[in-house]
Amino acid sequence: MRKFLFFIPFVLFIALAAFLFSGLFSDPRQHGSALVSKTLPAFELPDLMAPTTLYNAEKLKGKVYLLNVWGLWCPTCNAELGFLTELRKQGIDIVGLYYVQPQDSAFGESFDLTKLQQDVVKKLQEQGDPYRLNILDEKRSLIFDLGVTGAPETFLIDAKGQIRAHHVGDINPQNWPALGAQYQALLEEAAEHKPTAEAATTAGAAYAN
Amino acid sequence: MMPEIGQLSLIFAFALSVLLALVPVYGSYSGNVRALLLAKPLAIGQFLFSAIAMACLMYAFYHSDFTVINVASNSSSMLPWYFQLTASFGSHEGSMLLWVTILTFWTALVAVFSKSLPLLMQGRILAVLGFICVGFIAFSLFMSNPFERSLPFFPVEGRDLNPLLQDFGMIVHPPLLYVGYVGFAVSFAFAIAALWGGKFDSTWARWARPWTLAAWLFLTLGIMLGSWWAYNELGWGGWWFWDPVENASFMPWLVGTALLHSLAVTEKRGTFKSWTVLLAIAAFSLSLMGAFLVRSGVLVSVHSFASDPSRGLYLLAFLLLVVGGSLFLYALRMNAVRSQARYQLFSREVLLWGNNVFLLTATLVVFLGTLYPLFHKELGLGSISIGEPFFNQLFYYLVIPFSLLLGLGPWVRWKQQQLPPLLKPLTLVALLALTIAIGYLAATQSLAANLALLGCLLGAWVGMSAIGEVYQRAQQLGGFSSGISRLQASHWGMTFAHIGFAVLVIGVAMTKTLSVEKDVRMKIGDTVELNGYHFTLTDVYALNGPNYGGQAAELEVYSEGEKVTHLHAEKRFYPLQKTVMTEAAVHARLSRDLYVALGEELSGPSWAMRVYVKPFVRWIWLGGVLMAFGALLALLDKRYRSSTVKVREKTAEIAGVEHA
């Protein structure tokens, strides 16, 4: 018995080494988001360019798309715009979620929508516009619910409005293949279920009427 | 040509380390005295060649030889010369070479200063160190070569040194830390050599003690410097962040502290043997694991070097070999060893055992807090992060019983202590501690700060107890005035280290609870008031440094109408690395720091400023320095200096070898 007690440190160390070994091959920056395979949290947010149009989770349902959290203030997001625009040209559907940084009124800062719209248009003209539409999250409510830790972050949403992947950091030619494959798989999945999905939406619409 | 000389020297050092790892082993099994005697020149030669390699790298940095990739990515010709030199260990490759140099330096020191050890023991210790050297020199040489060239196409200007590292604290912090980390390799080698020989009298503990003390001294200073640097350089007024890499240096420190105390028990009383050996293995293993965590990219941290899985794999394999191997050896050999010493429940042994338990619990807390995110993720449970509140909370709970024990420990005798004789002096100590702590807080009238009160109480208890114990011990040695001069240096060392801990606890408690801060927008001429101090912004102007631009702010501080000081805060911009750095303005006094960080320029023109008043924050570092000073005093104790060569023992040992 006493003999085995002295093996405890050795056994514990081997177990630790196994964890360290598997840790070597996974990127610590890659997130396993707690939200994956949950539906998009409820929200009601305006369009960045036409603030009278409101979007919610229900309205965005029915298509596979990427929800890209970004902001003009974030250099990595700006660097990412070019590649995302290329993806849009390949038919990838991208929805922007505009991240407004907190303003500090003590420092005389205030939120100016008109100026932001002008700056965004200018930026997207320069760098390319990857977005089908842009949602404005001025109070960062959806961003908070999504557990966003910084920008850029991208969520892969399936046709049923479920979050299927959470990517932290920029999307670039190196990491796109993995995410792209997931996107394609979801497209095929959506195509298979299309009849039922459509039936469900029409039924929903009928019920709403 | 210098980089090639460096490369060649490193190869020589590698060859010597292979010999060092093999020849004494052969000697110890075959009883070949000449093979054992060869260990010393091999160890010294190994150090000389590593030192030459390091010098060559420094030369390349000093002369901005951008054909060397390492120089081009971590230095620039605009960098001041002293930062050019220190940039040589600012990168992964360079710091690995520094690590190797320090490791071979320790090995050479052991070879030179172990004359009093039996030859067989010397050979074994040096062989273990040689084996560790092989691992690290090979890593430096084959996996992260600092001398690699980018010929024929090389840049005309370097990418500059990370501005975070362009600070005096950074010049000294990594070498000190490495000296500490690597120093535990010596304690480790002693423990393994003892396991190897299977002889566990208290002698190995006596030999290992000064080396452990020295390593602990440097690790303490290294950690304290890192904390002081973060405070000055990061601009958020914090001094400890529980960052994974800070934790990686803190764990060996905690275990090293436990090891120091445990070694005392093993040496003096011949007990706790298996425990001490395990701690010696653990201290160095945690140092190695720290190196792995920083360089493999397993955890995200501000300190991480650019990560590369193949490097991580190498380090992990080495870790498995060294730590796994030594723990396996431990399991095989140690279970046969039994301690005979007997002691009662109320004795110094039990109190020191308690000290070990608390220090190891603290290590476990840090360990779990650091690695739990990794475990969680690898088990497929998703990502989580563990922040400051977790560590702070658990450390509050741990420090309280630990401090109470610490105050008591030095008073209690080995084997058995009767309670009554201690009651009177200890009550006096407790009363004094209470009066001082409560009296002080009542004077400052901050009743809400219960934690600060508790911290002061614990600090005062430990401090008063340490002083009182010296007084009592001196009286026992024949009167206070004559007895005090007869106290051994190691006793003074203990006292100073314990007072250092008390000072540290007070510093942490006061800073954590009584600090105030304000984020303000200031125009030139504006005044902001914080804790009775009036900070007036008098001027802001453009900066023109050798390799940076930016802005500097001048402030005048007044308190009750009298000028306290003039502060100069900078916000630097390093164009080559495109990084902004804060150089906080600090006015330090023992009782408080005034701290101002200059932020963004806002419209107006006005500036965002962050102003802090941090009471007693100096005490944190003062405590660390006192602890290190204590270790230094203990090291100077004359019993470690007696290098009388025990010829008889030595010849007996050699004879033993030849019979084997």
Side-chain angles (χ1 to χ4, degrees):
Chain A
M1 188 53 216
R2 187 179 149 83
K3 225 174 178 169
F4 289 109
L5 280 181
F6 281 87
F7 273 97
I8 292 175
F10 178 70
V11 172
L12 287 179
F13 171 73
I14 295 297
L16 170 71
F19 272 109
L20 292 179
F21 180 76
S22 70
L24 269 183
F25 296 99
S26 65
D27 180 2
R29 284 171 179 84
Q30 190 191 41
H31 250 253
S33 173
L35 285 167
V36 167
S37 81
K38 295 217 175 97
T39 46
L40 208 55
F43 66 91
E44 192 80 44
L45 291 171
D47 190 292
L48 172 62
M49 292 305 163
T52 44
T53 318
L54 289 182
Y55 292 108
N56 55 32
E58 205 57 32
K59 242 185 196 172
L60 293 172
K61 237 186 211 178
K63 267 181 113 177
V64 177
Y65 64 95
L66 294 175
L67 184 66
N68 176 246
V69 181
W70 74 292
L72 287 174
W73 47 269
C74 142
T76 317
C77 307
N78 295 339
E80 185 188 40
L81 283 174
F83 184 66
L84 288 182
T85 308
E86 246 173 71
L87 291 182
R88 187 190 187 181
K89 283 182 192 146
Q90 294 167 22
I92 308 292
D93 188 22
I94 304 171
V95 172
L97 178 59
Y98 193 88
Y99 188 146
V100 182
Q101 275 198 309
Q103 318 281 322
D104 198 331
S105 54
F107 293 155
E109 295 165 338
S110 63
F111 181 63
D112 182 353
L113 182 63
T114 329
K115 179 157 188 316
L116 178 65
Q117 285 172 341
Q118 285 166 359
D119 290 348
V120 166
V121 168
K122 190 164 159 251
K123 181 56 117 186
L124 294 182
Q125 272 169 357
E126 277 168 19
Q127 308 261 318
D129 180 2
Y131 305 110
R132 168 160 62 98
L133 56 96
N134 253 304
I135 300 170
L136 176 68
D137 194 356
E138 193 195 328
K139 301 280 180 244
R140 293 165 300 284
S141 57
L142 178 58
I143 281 168
F144 181 80
D145 290 339
L146 283 170
V148 172
T149 54
E153 288 190 16
T154 304
F155 295 84
L156 176 59
I157 318 282
D158 71 8
K160 284 179 258 169
Q162 272 191 357
I163 301 170
R164 300 297 287 264
H166 179 185
H167 178 89
V168 178
D170 64 327
I171 293 181
N172 54 44
Q174 277 82 48
N175 58 32
W176 170 249
L179 197 62
Q182 235 179 328
Y183 183 91
Q184 289 304 331
L186 286 183
L187 276 186
E188 282 157 30
E189 190 185 303
E192 278 171 33
H193 294 297
K194 196 125 201 185
T196 47
E198 245 172 20
T201 28
T202 33
Y207 182 77
N209 289 336
Chain B
M1 195 191 66
M2 285 311 262
E4 277 68 33
I5 294 179
Q7 168 83 5
L8 205 62
S9 313
L10 199 56
I11 295 173
F12 283 144
F14 177 66
L16 290 178
S17 70
V18 172
L19 286 177
L20 181 60
L22 294 177
V23 173
V25 178
Y26 163 76
S28 86
Y29 282 109
S30 68
N32 188 329
V33 177
R34 254 175 289 172
L36 285 172
L37 281 172
L38 203 58
K40 184 173 162 180
L42 282 175
I44 295 171
Q46 181 193 238
F47 165 64
L48 288 180
F49 280 112
S50 313
I52 293 174
M54 190 71 215
C56 288
L57 185 65
M58 286 185 148
Y59 179 89
F61 268 91
Y62 185 69
H63 288 272
S64 293
D65 183 350
F66 296 128
T67 59
V68 178
I69 296 174
N70 188 13
V71 180
S73 7
N74 295 291
S75 182
S76 79
S77 53
M78 290 189 293
L79 208 59
W81 66 271
Y82 41 92
F83 288 136
Q84 284 182 334
L85 284 182
T86 56
S88 60
F89 47 81
S91 65
H92 160 77
E93 288 82 1
S95 69
M96 216 54 234
L97 185 59
L98 179 70
W99 177 291
V100 164
T101 312
I102 292 171
L103 180 60
T104 52
F105 179 63
W106 274 112
T107 312
L109 274 186
V110 173
V112 172
F113 289 105
S114 62
K115 273 180 267 171
S116 59
L117 265 58
L119 192 59
L120 186 65
M121 193 72 184
Q122 275 184 41
R124 283 175 177 161
I125 292 167
L126 288 173
V128 174
L129 284 169
F131 181 78
I132 300 168
C133 289
V134 171
F136 279 109
I137 299 179
F139 183 64
S140 180
L141 204 51
F142 303 121
M143 308 289 291
S144 50
N145 194 322
F147 297 110
E148 209 170 314
R149 299 258 204 180
S150 61
L151 292 170
F153 305 107
F154 58 90
V156 287
E157 181 55 272
R159 255 180 286 163
D160 209 356
L161 177 66
N162 183 344
L164 279 173
L165 306 182
Q166 298 183 23
D167 179 78
F168 169 75
M170 259 303 122
I171 300 180
V172 214
H173 167 61
L176 278 181
L177 208 56
Y178 285 4
V179 171
Y181 266 160
V182 175
F184 284 127
V186 180
S187 328
F188 171 82
F190 275 91
I192 296 299
L195 277 175
W196 188 346
K199 261 178 77 184
F200 285 99
D201 40 17
S202 57
T203 43
W204 88 267
R206 185 168 338 122
W207 295 328
R209 260 181 106 178
W211 297 101
T212 314
L213 263 174
W216 185 86
L217 190 165
F218 285 105
L219 191 58
T220 310
L221 283 179
I223 293 176
M224 282 300 146
L225 254 171
S227 151
W228 179 70
W229 165 82
Y231 177 79
N232 280 319
E233 207 64 1
L234 298 183
W236 41 259
W239 45 272
W240 191 259
F241 197 58
W242 299 109
D243 173 89
V245 175
E246 284 179 344
N247 291 348
S249 70
F250 191 39
M251 286 188 279
W253 187 87
L254 284 170
V255 174
T257 314
L259 174 63
L260 275 182
H261 291 91
S262 194
L263 274 171
V265 186
T266 308
E267 187 205 351
K268 292 260 168 75
R269 304 280 308 135
T271 177
F272 285 15
K273 285 174 185 162
S274 46
W275 196 225
T276 310
V277 172
L278 187 60
L279 284 176
I281 296 176
F284 183 57
S285 303
L286 286 168
S287 299
L288 278 184
M289 205 184 70
F292 170 79
L293 289 179
V294 189
R295 290 158 204 280
S296 66
V298 165
L299 297 171
V300 186
S301 151
V302 289
H303 294 75
S304 307
F305 293 102
S307 55
D308 173 350
S310 66
R311 284 176 185 167
L313 209 59
Y314 177 94
L315 284 175
L316 187 61
F318 188 60
L319 202 65
L320 261 174
L321 208 63
V322 173
V323 183
S326 55
L327 286 177
F328 192 71
L329 184 67
Y330 173 82
L332 288 182
R333 284 288 167 87
M334 212 62 217
N335 66 62
V337 179
R338 279 165 203 276
S339 308
Q340 282 88 31
R342 303 203 169 273
Y343 44 89
Q344 300 290 316
L345 187 62
F346 191 48
S347 62
R348 194 184 280 194
E349 281 93 333
V350 173
L351 286 177
L352 279 174
W353 179 82
N355 147 303
N356 274 347
V357 168
F358 284 116
L359 283 171
L360 287 189
T361 317
T363 312
L364 196 68
V365 166
V366 180
F367 184 83
L368 285 179
T370 311
L371 287 174
Y372 191 70
L374 175 73
F375 295 154
H376 201 265
K377 184 154 176 265
E378 293 311 317
L379 289 172
L381 299 171
S383 296
I384 54 161
S385 64
I386 288 187
E388 241 183 307
F390 166 81
F391 294 106
N392 285 347
Q393 188 99 49
L394 283 169
F395 266 77
Y396 284 144
Y397 297 139
L398 281 171
V399 164
I400 296 165
F402 182 77
S403 308
L404 290 176
L405 270 191
L406 207 167
L408 199 57
W411 296 79
V412 176
R413 284 160 199 238
W414 297 109
K415 274 183 174 172
Q416 187 183 10
Q417 170 72 46
Q418 299 297 331
L419 195 56
L422 280 186
L423 277 179
K424 207 175 115 194
L426 280 179
T427 327
L428 205 65
V429 166
L431 278 177
L432 268 175
L434 271 173
T435 330
I436 289 175
I438 297 177
Y440 177 77
L441 277 193
T444 58
Q445 299 192 339
S446 119
L447 291 169
N450 286 319
L451 270 175
L453 173 73
L454 191 61
C456 269
L457 260 173
L458 291 173
W461 159 252
V462 172
M464 287 288 93
S465 145
I467 294 167
E469 193 264 348
V470 167
Y471 179 77
Q472 197 211 29
R473 197 52 50 107
Q475 293 243 304
Q476 283 166 1
L477 288 172
F480 182 70
S481 50
S482 63
I484 208 147
S485 57
R486 268 195 266 162
L487 275 180
Q488 284 173 325
S490 62
H491 197 102
W492 281 115
M494 176 189 78
T495 308
F496 270 98
H498 286 176
I499 292 176
F501 177 78
V503 169
L504 178 84
V505 167
I506 294 175
V508 173
M510 300 301 274
T511 309
K512 275 271 159 200
T513 42
L514 300 179
S515 286
V516 279
E517 62 171 278
K518 229 179 204 176
D519 283 326
V520 285
R521 172 200 181 111
M522 286 177 100
K523 287 204 219 5
I524 290 175
D526 279 0
T527 299
V528 57
E529 192 271 332
L530 193 64
N531 250 26
Y533 291 99
H534 297 265
F535 297 81
T536 309
L537 183 64
T538 53
D539 194 14
V540 179
Y541 53 89
L543 262 180
N544 254 325
N547 56 340
Y548 58 85
Q551 288 186 318
E554 305 289 341
L555 295 102
E556 303 286 341
V557 185
Y558 289 87
S559 172
E560 290 164 358
E562 275 182 45
K563 182 171 167 175
V564 179
T565 183
H566 176 90
L567 290 175
H568 171 86
E570 292 184 6
K571 186 165 197 72
R572 295 182 179 172
F573 178 70
Y574 289 82
L576 282 178
Q577 291 245 339
K578 300 196 171 43
T579 337
V580 175
M581 280 291 306
T582 323
E583 296 279 329
V586 180
H587 183 247
R589 283 289 172 274
L590 210 51
S591 61
R592 58 106 188 98
D593 268 23
L594 304 176
Y595 184 110
V596 175
L598 175 64
E600 300 299 318
E601 179 169 357
L602 307 164
S603 58
S606 58
W607 287 268
M609 298 282 230
R610 180 168 290 179
V611 188
Y612 298 86
V613 177
K614 298 177 99 50
F616 287 89
V617 68
R618 292 284 132 183
W619 287 46
I620 295 171
W621 304 302
L622 180 67
V625 171
L626 279 175
M627 284 196 234
F629 180 67
L632 184 67
L633 277 183
L635 258 181
L636 294 177
D637 197 295
K638 45 182 180 300
R639 71 184 139 145
Y640 297 133
R641 261 179 295 150
S642 61
S643 59
T644 44
V645 187
K646 290 176 185 157
V647 186
R648 221 156 32 124
E649 210 175 293
K650 203 166 171 180
T651 41
E653 198 71 36
I654 295 168
V657 170
E658 275 159 354
H659 284 297

